[in-house]
Amino acid sequence: MTVIAEKAQSALSRMGIDFDAVYNAHVPLMIGIAVDRFHISHSDAQTLAHQIFLVYFMKPEEVKDQRAWFVGAISNACRQYLRTRARDVELPADIVNEPDPEFPADWLPNRMAARQAFSCLTSRCQLALQLHYLEGYSIPEIAAQLHITPGYAKKLVSRCLQQARERYR
Amino acid sequence: MNIETREGLFALMEQIAEEREAARPVVEQLVASGEGLEDIEIPEGWRTAGFVLELVVRADVANESEPRLSLKLADLGLVIATQLQLSIAQTYLEISAWREIGFAHRYLCTYNPAALAFENAARKCSLHPSLVHARATVLYAKAGNHFLAREHAKSHAVNASARRIFEAFGDQRALARCDVLDGLIAFRRGDAESARVKLEGALETLRDFDDDRTVGVVNNDLGATYRVLGRNNDALAVLRRARDIAVRLGLPSEVNRADWNIGVILLETGRFEEALATLRRIRTDYIERGMTEDAAEVGLCIIDGLVALNELETAKMLAESVIREFSSIEMAGAAMTALAYLHDILKAGLDARPAARHVRQYMERLRWEPEHLFLPNED
């Protein structure tokens, strides 16, 4: 019995697409292409194929020709996978056997607290801080993104950072 | 959740589908209430992949008709997506949110933030090998944004990059869309005949796909091309087809585009009152939706019609509004010179008909020759 058949009234089945059938039609093919044509291990090929299937699941209506899309996706994914692997180098043996110098208990509580403090801010504050500190947006770029003046954007980032500090304490 | 096994993959898909169903009424309530999406504290129950997916899908539906709302939904989706811990699903959702942010800015005519958003989306596509097609769709969107910002060389180059990826996927529909963009670039560069060939070819390909939206858009583009080629009857036929599709699919920008071109044909064939009725409706709609540049350009067409009907005081006041609107979007110096020239003629009570027509046609020509200098009429 398939996964879908076991949950006949599931949210997945209510999407109106037989994902089970699509999986059976295309995932073995994708794995076969990855293994036979690109010489990727079966387990890595299955992971790539599953990642592609998950992307398809997110917006299935965008895919008109399923077979062409899946074949194209796995071929491109395999090429990029192999290019990335070719740049990987093994760690020297003396480093591999060394224990990690940082013990997670030293920094984990602070990181968790920081994440909790951040998530308590309003969505606008979170966005402003994310744009500035994670995406590297300048103040004028933040202003353009949020449709506010540069002066207000500067105050917003400063105020939100202050709020995050206060919640972190 | 581990998606290396089939069971793990389907379990995650089921989870996201359930989250999305639970999110749907909440997102609809947010949209309907008009609550300030920027200032809410995000409840824990919203921090799911399904919630983000519902937000970006809703943003996609609204990006043309309500770009400000679309931007707020996409911004909220991005904030939540970056806090998920779901590897490729998280990355895909961030890309989707950035893409919708880009589209919203595009429809608001704020092309620089749109370009940044598309660049962020494209950069995140390189994080997973399975996101190559997503990268192509983002590149295509970026190319479209460059086109609207009058950066035709960049648009052509980025479109070519997207085309190469779509060719590897055999995605004929996407390739037809790339052809459409190439056709539009040719149109902007003054080669309406090449544009016609590309657009007609793309339309032929698109007939095999269930993609009425793109067919409508291409009919609109073809209508503008036929108009420039002097084929007004052909233009009206395809523009009416484009309009019918846009009305059926609820695409107000495409309805406006069709009406705008129809309005210009009416102006140029002397049917001024009919033209003004159509153009006024479009301008009001663009103003309400925050599409300042388009509202100002339609304003120029209205001035042309008002002058033709000798409603000079109304034309002068409208010219002042249009100048303010173009100033607010930092229009190039030559364009402002042209507008100031028209305003001066109206203010002086001189015969403004040739000037109104001349300035409107100059502004249209600026789309494909942004460096073209303005010279007043010799008349």
Side-chain angles (χ1 to χ4, degrees):
Chain A
M1 186 180 289
T2 65
V3 171
I4 294 299
E6 286 172 3
K7 300 184 182 179
Q9 294 302 313
S10 68
L12 202 57
S13 64
R14 284 193 289 275
M15 284 178 69
I17 295 173
D18 187 348
F19 285 104
D20 212 32
V22 178
Y23 182 100
N24 290 337
H26 300 293
V27 171
L29 172 65
M30 284 199 282
I31 293 171
I33 289 172
V35 170
D36 295 338
R37 203 182 295 176
F38 293 94
H39 309 294
I40 291 173
S41 72
H42 190 275
S43 61
D44 286 352
Q46 181 154 310
T47 299
L48 279 177
H50 282 184
Q51 286 177 348
I52 289 165
F53 197 81
L54 188 61
V55 170
Y56 159 75
F57 155 75
M58 296 279 200
K59 266 208 165 170
E61 64 278 7
E62 282 194 353
V63 177
K64 298 297 177 186
D65 183 340
Q66 284 179 355
R67 186 189 166 91
W69 192 87
F70 281 118
V71 169
I74 192 67
S75 301
N76 279 284
C78 289
R79 285 188 202 105
Q80 187 155 334
Y81 170 86
L82 291 172
R83 271 197 294 269
T84 308
R85 284 283 297 266
R87 291 196 286 266
D88 288 346
V89 293
E90 273 196 39
L91 285 173
D94 57 341
I95 291 178
V96 167
N97 295 325
E98 278 289 319
D100 192 330
E102 282 193 353
F103 186 60
D106 294 338
W107 49 258
L108 194 56
N110 285 346
R111 283 203 188 175
M112 290 172 67
R115 182 170 289 165
Q116 187 63 28
F118 182 78
S119 66
C120 290
L121 300 174
T122 63
S123 53
R124 186 199 294 246
C125 269
Q126 290 187 44
L127 182 63
L129 293 179
Q130 184 184 323
L131 289 176
H132 194 52
Y133 292 106
L134 290 185
E135 303 295 342
Y137 273 44
S138 66
I139 295 296
E141 285 169 345
I142 293 173
Q145 165 71 16
L146 300 181
H147 280 267
I148 54 180
T149 63
Y152 185 70
K154 188 175 177 183
K155 282 184 191 163
L156 179 68
V157 169
S158 174
R159 179 164 48 86
C160 292
L161 191 60
Q162 182 59 29
Q163 282 181 14
R165 281 198 188 106
E166 283 162 12
R167 289 181 193 236
Y168 177 70
R169 279 195 209 115
Chain B
M1 198 172 284
N2 186 347
I3 63 167
E4 288 171 14
T5 64
R6 179 182 177 144
E7 290 70 29
L9 172 65
F10 272 79
L12 178 59
M13 286 162 53
E14 180 63 47
Q15 177 188 310
I16 293 174
E18 284 174 2
E19 287 165 357
R20 211 180 141 187
E21 275 191 353
R24 198 157 294 140
V26 178
V27 171
E28 281 311 314
Q29 176 61 26
L30 283 176
V31 168
S33 72
E35 189 179 340
L37 291 171
E38 309 95 328
D39 295 318
I40 50 175
E41 286 199 20
I42 302 168
E44 194 59 41
W46 292 8
R47 297 176 200 278
T48 67
F51 198 94
V52 175
L53 194 51
E54 189 61 23
L55 281 170
V56 298
V57 166
R58 191 63 180 83
D60 184 41
V61 166
N63 62 20
E64 183 179 329
S65 55
E66 298 173 277
R68 289 194 191 102
L69 170 65
S70 176
L71 183 59
K72 289 176 188 176
L73 292 170
D75 279 345
L76 182 58
L78 178 67
V79 165
I80 299 174
T82 52
Q83 295 170 46
L84 300 173
Q85 303 292 321
L86 277 175
S87 192
I88 187 173
Q90 174 186 353
T91 307
Y92 182 80
L93 290 169
E94 285 186 50
I95 291 164
S96 298
W98 276 121
R99 216 177 75 151
E100 293 309 322
I101 288 170
F103 279 126
H105 276 294
R106 186 181 123 159
Y107 280 106
L108 288 167
C109 306
T110 46
Y111 303 121
N112 286 338
L116 271 179
F118 290 133
E119 275 163 26
N120 286 337
R123 183 167 42 83
K124 289 193 186 290
C125 287
S126 63
L127 294 176
H128 287 276
S130 32
L131 295 172
V132 177
H133 191 271
R135 182 161 188 270
T137 63
V138 170
L139 286 176
Y140 175 74
K142 189 165 177 278
N145 188 63
H146 282 309
F147 170 79
L148 290 168
R150 297 178 168 83
E151 296 165 345
H152 301 131
K154 277 187 190 172
S155 178
H156 183 74
V158 176
N159 193 35
S161 299
R163 181 190 289 279
R164 276 192 292 276
I165 300 174
F166 288 136
E167 276 168 353
F169 276 78
D171 190 338
Q172 297 302 319
R173 186 179 70 146
L175 287 169
R177 287 175 170 179
C178 290
D179 287 340
V180 170
L181 185 51
D182 277 342
L184 293 176
I185 293 169
F187 180 82
R188 283 265 183 97
R189 285 175 168 163
D191 187 355
E193 187 54 33
S194 296
R196 179 192 67 76
V197 169
K198 285 194 186 291
L199 292 172
E200 286 176 353
L203 207 51
E204 205 47 49
T205 304
L206 287 165
R207 286 191 212 289
D208 295 334
F209 297 97
D210 181 21
D211 189 356
D212 281 352
R213 181 176 180 150
T214 307
V215 166
V217 167
V218 179
N219 269 295
N220 245 333
D221 296 330
L222 203 45
T225 307
Y226 284 149
R227 180 176 70 77
V228 166
L229 288 169
R231 293 167 57 174
N232 281 345
N233 288 338
D234 291 335
L236 285 171
V238 295
L239 287 169
R240 285 183 180 130
R241 201 171 305 141
R243 193 183 196 284
D244 289 344
I245 293 173
V247 166
R248 183 163 49 82
L249 297 180
L251 302 173
S253 281
E254 288 301 304
V255 172
N256 287 349
R257 260 199 334 135
D259 279 348
W260 190 349
N261 275 295
I262 291 171
V264 173
I265 292 173
L266 292 171
L267 272 182
E268 291 178 350
T269 52
R271 293 154 69 179
F272 300 117
E273 285 178 3
E274 257 184 278
L276 285 180
T278 299
L279 294 168
R280 278 176 168 139
R281 182 201 68 71
I282 299 168
R283 178 170 158 82
T284 302
D285 187 58
Y286 279 146
I287 289 170
E288 282 172 4
R289 291 199 280 132
M291 297 171 73
T292 308
E293 185 175 347
D294 289 342
E297 290 204 34
V298 175
L300 277 178
C301 297
I302 296 173
I303 292 169
D304 195 352
L306 287 169
V307 167
L309 291 173
N310 211 32
E311 294 181 35
L312 300 178
E313 197 52 37
T314 312
K316 185 164 72 88
M317 283 166 48
L318 182 54
E320 286 160 8
S321 296
V322 168
I323 288 173
R324 279 195 299 275
E325 285 157 11
F326 275 125
S327 297
S328 75
I329 56 172
E330 296 170 2
M331 203 63 187
M336 299 308 295
T337 304
L339 291 164
Y341 162 75
L342 175 60
H343 181 251
D344 287 346
I345 296 229
L346 285 164
K347 211 167 145 186
L350 300 171
D351 178 10
R353 281 206 61 185
R357 178 70 45 103
H358 182 60
V359 169
R360 178 175 63 76
Q361 290 173 343
Y362 170 76
M363 295 298 287
E364 196 171 359
R365 188 172 169 180
L366 269 192
R367 285 177 181 263
W368 61 77
E369 287 183 57
E371 305 302 322
H372 188 68
L373 290 177
F374 175 74
L375 293 170
N377 267 20
E378 287 176 1
D379 298 344

